Amino acid sequence: MSQEKSHISSYQSHVFVLLALLALTAISVAVTTLELGRLDTLVAMLIAATKAAIVLVWFMHLKFDNKLYAIFTVLVLVVFLLVLYVTFFDYSYR
Amino acid sequence: MSESTKSNHTSFLEYKGKYRGILGWILSTDHKRIGLLYLYTMLVFFSVAAILGLLMKIQLIAPGHTIMGPATYNAMFTMHGIIMIFIIVVPGLPAVFGNFFLPLMIGAKDVAFPKLNLASWWIYVIGILIVLTSQFLGDGPPDTGWTFYAPYSFQTPANIVPALVGAFVLGFSSILTGINFVVTIHRLRTPGMTWFKMPLFPWTLYATAWIQILATPVIGITLLLTVMERTLGVGIFDPALGGDPILYQHLFWIYSHPAVYIMILPGLGVISEIIPVFSRKRIFGYKAIVLSSLAIAFVGYFVWGHHMFTSGMSGRALFAFSFLTFLVAIPSAVKVFNWVATMYKGSLIFQTPFFWAVSFIFVFMIGGFSGLTLGSLATNVHLHDTHFVVAHFHFIVFGGTGFSFLAAIHYWFPKMFGRMFDASWANIGWVVFFAGFLTLYLPMFSLGIMGMPRRYYDYLPEFHAANILSSLGAMLMIAGAMIIIVNLVRSARYGKKTNEKNPWGGKTLEWQADTPPTLENWEEIPEVTEKPYEY
Ligand SMILES: [Cu+2]
C-alpha cells in the first residue's frame, strides 16, 4: 500500500470546486424562470449531473487515483442508467 | 487492531482483549467474533419468526378461525416476512460466514475495516430494535406484508413507520458490509492468490457485495419516500395526489429482486466449497462458476418486473422482463451442471455437510423451475398471488439460503468452535427437517395451481386436505430444526474437542489456520501457489 503515491490537492482546487458548485446552483435556480416546459426536468437533471461529476472527478480524486476506481465508477453509472432505462421503458409504452 | 496479539496460540474464543466478558464480544473488532455475534442474533430472531410461521400453519390446518382471526394473521405474515427477509436471509451468509471465513480463505488477518465491521453489527442491532418497536407502539402491528405496497402502506392505520425506518437502518448495515468485503477482496488477498486462484465462496461474496452496495440504496430511498408519503402526503405513490403506485413496485423490486441474489449467491458459493471437498475431486469448471456468479449479479438487476406482471405494466415491458428472467436462469443452471459434474466419478464422502449440499441442489432445482413457471407471462396470470408463489419463494429462499446456511454451519463448525458436532444427531436432524420441508411446501404448489390465494387466514373447503398435509409438514420441519439447533448448541459447548486443522480434508486456506483460529489468524502469512480444489 505504501508504495502508491497519493495526490494532494491544493486549497485552490477545492475553492474552484466550491465556486463551480455555487455557480451551477445559481444557474439551476435561474433556469426555472425560463419556463422550458417539459425540458425543465431535463435541464435540472443535467445541471445536477454536472455538479456530481465535478465532485467525483476533482473533489473525490477520481482524476488522480488509480484508473481502477474510474472504471468501477463508470460501470456503476452504466448499471444505474440501464435500470433507469428499463424502468422508463415501461412508462413510455403504457 | 488495537487488541494486539498477546500470546500466539490462544484461540479467538478465549483471548482476553481490552474488555472482559460480554463486552469483549460486543466491542470486539475481530471478524470471527463479529461473525458469531451475527450468528447468535440471527438464531434468536430466526426462532421468533419460525414460531410465527408455525402459528400461521396451525391456523391454516382447518378453514375458518382456528387459532387467530384475519387481523392477527395479517400482522403475523408481515412480521414473519420482515424478520426473515431483512434480519435473517439478507445479512445471512455474508454476515456470519463471510465475516468469519472471508479473511481466513484469502489469507488475511481481518477484513479491511474492522471497526466499520463492528459498526455494521451495531447498526444491525439498532435496526432490529426499531423494527420491533412497530409491534408495541402506536396503532397495532404492521399488516402490509414485508413488501409495504402502496397505496395500502400509507392508508392502513397500523404502525408502519417504525418498520419502514427499521428496514432502512438495516440497509445501512448491509451496504457497509458490502463495502468492507469489496475492499477486503481487492486489497487483502495473500501473496500468490490471484483473482482466479481465489476460492469460490469469496467470489460469490464479491458478487454479492456489489449488489449490496448498488441495490440497497434504492430500497432505502423507497422506504423513506413511503415514510414521507405517510407523514407528509407528498404524492409520489398516491394516485389521489397524482402519484403512481406502480412506481412504488418498480422501486421496491429494483432492490428486492437483486436482494434475492444477495440471499442466494453466497449459498451457491458455500455449495461450491463443499461439493469438491466431499467428492475429493477438483471442482468442475471453476471459471464457469466464477463467471456465472458475476453474470447472475449483473443480469439479476434487470428482471425485477417479473413481480409485477399483473400490476398493469405496458405489454412490451412485460415481454422484456419475462425474457430477461429466462436469461438469468442460465447461469444458475450452469452451476448446477458444474456441481453434478464435480460429483461424477468422485470419491463421495457421505457426511452431514455433504447431505445438506446435495439436498440443497434438489430443492434449489425445484425452486428454480417453479420460478420459470412464474416467469412466463401466461402461467403467471393464473399463479400470481397464489400459494404457488409462496411455495416457489420458500423453495428458493429457505431451501436455497436456509439449506446452504445449514450446510455451511456443519461444514465449518469444527473450525469455528474447536469442537465436533454429534454426527448421528446431525444426520437425524437433516432427515427430519428435509422430510418436513418437502411435506410443508410441496402441497402449496398444487394449492396454488388449484387457486388458493396467499395471505388469507381462511380458505374454501376444497383446499382442506392439502393444507392439513402442509401444516403437519410444518410441525415435522420445526421438530427437525429443533434437533439441529439443540445438537449444534450442545456441541458448541460440550462437543468433543478437536484441534485438528483440517477434519474434512479441504484444500482452501481456512483449513491451514489453527482450530479454532487465533486472534489474527496466522502466525505466518500463508503463500498460495496452487489453485484451490486441487485433489
Ligand atoms: Cu424476482
Side-chain angles (χ1 to χ4, degrees):
Chain A
M1 279 184 219
S2 50
Q3 72 272 17
E4 287 174 28
K5 40 183 176 354
S6 53
H7 173 90
I8 298 171
S9 337
S10 59
Y11 278 108
Q12 274 129 315
S13 76
H14 284 155
V15 171
F16 166 77
V17 168
L18 177 67
L19 289 177
L21 292 177
L22 287 173
L24 284 166
T25 309
I27 292 172
S28 62
V29 174
V31 143
T32 54
T33 57
L34 287 181
E35 306 281 347
L36 293 169
R38 293 191 65 171
L39 288 177
D40 257 349
T41 320
L42 182 69
V43 172
M45 293 302 274
L46 280 179
I47 295 174
T50 317
K51 287 162 82 176
I54 292 173
V55 170
L56 281 170
V57 174
W58 281 282
F59 188 71
M60 296 180 83
H61 280 208
L62 270 188
K63 191 165 185 240
F64 318 109
D65 266 332
N66 194 327
K67 275 275 168 300
L68 187 71
Y69 299 120
I71 293 170
F72 273 98
T73 311
V74 169
L75 278 177
V76 167
L77 273 177
V78 168
V79 171
F80 173 68
L81 290 174
L82 279 172
V83 167
L84 272 190
Y85 172 75
V86 175
T87 309
F88 287 98
F89 184 79
D90 167 31
Y91 281 87
S92 55
Y93 286 108
R94 245 195 250 163
Chain B
M1 289 252 309
S2 52
E3 301 147 310
S4 62
T5 19
K6 289 207 177 100
S7 66
N8 266 335
H9 274 287
T10 329
S11 89
F12 79 98
L13 294 163
E14 275 147 17
Y15 82 89
K16 303 261 188 305
K18 218 177 357 172
Y19 304 100
R20 298 285 147 114
I22 187 143
L23 285 184
W25 282 79
I26 61 174
L27 295 176
S28 168
T29 53
D30 176 39
H31 66 101
K32 301 177 288 296
R33 287 197 171 187
I34 294 172
L36 290 185
L37 285 178
Y38 276 108
L39 178 66
Y40 300 143
T41 323
M42 281 178 201
L43 182 63
V44 171
F45 286 96
F46 174 80
S47 311
V48 173
I51 290 169
L52 293 180
L54 181 65
L55 290 175
M56 285 189 286
K57 288 314 293 181
I58 293 174
Q59 160 60 26
L60 289 178
I61 205 165
H65 186 298
T66 316
I67 56 167
M68 65 181 87
T72 319
Y73 189 82
N74 291 353
M76 281 207 174
F77 72 66
T78 302
M79 213 47 201
H80 174 79
I82 292 176
I83 294 179
M84 285 297 195
I85 298 287
F86 292 114
I87 301 178
I88 312 290
V89 286
V90 166
L93 288 137
V96 178
F97 300 108
N99 263 322
F100 200 110
F101 285 102
L102 171 62
L104 283 163
M105 292 178 90
I106 62 172
K109 288 182 168 176
D110 206 313
V111 292
F113 308 116
K115 285 182 182 165
L116 187 69
N117 201 17
L118 177 63
S120 308
W121 180 75
W122 275 100
I123 294 171
Y124 172 70
V125 171
I126 292 167
I128 293 176
L129 292 177
I130 298 174
V131 167
L132 290 184
T133 59
S134 69
Q135 297 301 300
F136 309 110
L137 301 177
D139 309 301
D143 57 354
T144 55
W146 73 280
T147 48
F148 303 113
Y149 263 19
Y152 184 65
S153 57
F154 40 83
Q155 288 169 351
T156 168
N159 196 20
I160 307 293
V161 171
L164 292 169
V165 175
F168 174 78
V169 173
L170 286 168
F172 274 93
S173 165
S174 192
I175 294 171
L176 294 178
T177 303
I179 292 175
N180 222 334
F181 285 3
V182 166
V183 179
T184 306
I185 291 170
H186 272 276
R187 305 309 301 259
L188 298 186
R189 279 170 291 129
T190 195
M193 182 170 285
T194 55
W195 281 93
F196 284 108
K197 282 188 184 137
M198 193 161 71
L200 289 162
F201 182 57
W203 259 116
T204 52
L205 287 172
Y206 183 71
T208 308
W210 275 109
I211 311 179
Q212 288 175 310
I213 296 170
L214 296 185
T216 318
V218 182
I219 190 86
I221 290 163
T222 313
L223 296 175
L224 279 195
L225 286 175
T226 314
V227 171
M228 285 167 71
E229 191 85 48
R230 227 183 127 79
T231 51
L232 308 170
V234 287
I236 294 166
F237 306 129
D238 189 351
L241 299 170
D244 178 15
I246 298 184
L247 179 64
Y248 176 86
Q249 297 188 14
H250 272 299
L251 292 174
F252 182 83
W253 290 112
I254 285 173
Y255 166 74
S256 296
H257 184 83
V260 177
Y261 294 110
I262 296 179
M263 304 167 197
I264 196 73
L265 266 173
L268 304 176
V270 165
I271 303 304
S272 307
E273 295 294 334
I274 293 176
I275 297 280
V277 173
F278 289 82
S279 307
R280 289 289 183 268
K281 211 169 138 238
R282 183 150 52 108
I283 187 101
F284 183 90
Y286 169 89
K287 274 198 181 160
I289 295 184
V290 169
L291 295 178
S292 63
S293 299
L294 298 176
I296 288 177
F298 182 74
V299 183
Y301 274 107
F302 307 106
V303 301
W304 74 82
H306 60 218
H307 297 267
M308 309 157 55
F309 282 162
T310 57
S311 302
M313 276 196 301
S314 66
R316 286 185 204 216
L318 294 178
F319 179 77
F321 279 125
S322 182
F323 174 75
L324 289 166
T325 302
F326 273 75
L327 215 57
V328 84
I330 297 172
S332 315
V334 165
K335 285 190 199 298
V336 172
F337 175 78
N338 281 322
W339 295 326
V340 175
T342 305
M343 287 187 279
Y344 179 67
K345 288 193 174 171
S347 332
L348 303 184
I349 300 165
F350 294 103
Q351 274 169 318
T352 323
F354 184 70
F355 294 147
W356 281 110
V358 179
S359 50
F360 166 92
I361 299 178
F362 182 74
V363 290
F364 182 65
M365 296 275 286
I366 297 178
F369 282 126
S370 56
L372 290 180
T373 318
L374 289 165
S376 21
L377 294 171
T379 41
N380 181 274
V381 174
H382 180 72
L383 295 171
H384 187 84
D385 258 345
T386 67
H387 261 63
F388 193 94
V389 177
V390 185
H392 156 71
F393 181 80
H394 284 85
F395 262 92
I396 286 290
V397 173
F398 200 10
T401 313
F403 276 50
S404 56
F405 196 99
L406 287 162
I409 199 157
H410 285 96
Y411 178 55
W412 280 316
F413 188 91
K415 182 59 78 187
M416 295 168 87
F417 296 100
R419 289 173 189 273
M420 204 55 194
F421 58 82
D422 183 313
S424 13
W425 276 111
N427 291 341
I428 293 170
W430 170 72
V431 170
V432 176
F433 186 94
F434 192 28
F437 180 91
L438 295 178
T439 326
L440 164 57
Y441 295 115
L442 279 178
M444 287 188 186
F445 281 122
S446 54
L447 282 171
I449 292 170
M450 285 154 68
M452 178 172 164
R454 65 178 181 149
R455 294 182 167 177
Y456 280 71
Y457 87 115
D458 194 6
Y459 51 82
L460 298 172
E462 65 252 40
F463 302 134
H464 196 180
N467 267 303
I468 294 177
L469 191 62
S470 172
S471 294
L472 292 176
M475 293 169 199
L476 191 62
M477 191 184 77
I478 293 287
M482 269 161 42
I483 296 173
I484 293 161
I485 290 171
V486 169
N487 181 41
L488 288 179
V489 172
R490 249 194 106 251
S491 302
R493 303 201 64 171
Y494 311 111
K496 195 162 120 313
K497 273 202 165 179
T498 171
N499 285 320
E500 203 187 326
K501 284 187 176 181
N502 194 356
W504 311 117
K507 293 281 184 182
T508 37
L509 272 185
E510 81 271 31
W511 301 112
Q512 291 178 27
D514 282 343
T515 295
T518 54
L519 179 60
E520 288 187 328
N521 302 342
W522 317 99
E523 272 150 67
E524 246 174 78
I525 292 295
E527 224 171 298
V528 176
T529 48
E530 272 194 333
K531 288 190 154 210
Y533 323 112
E534 289 296 331
Y535 283 98

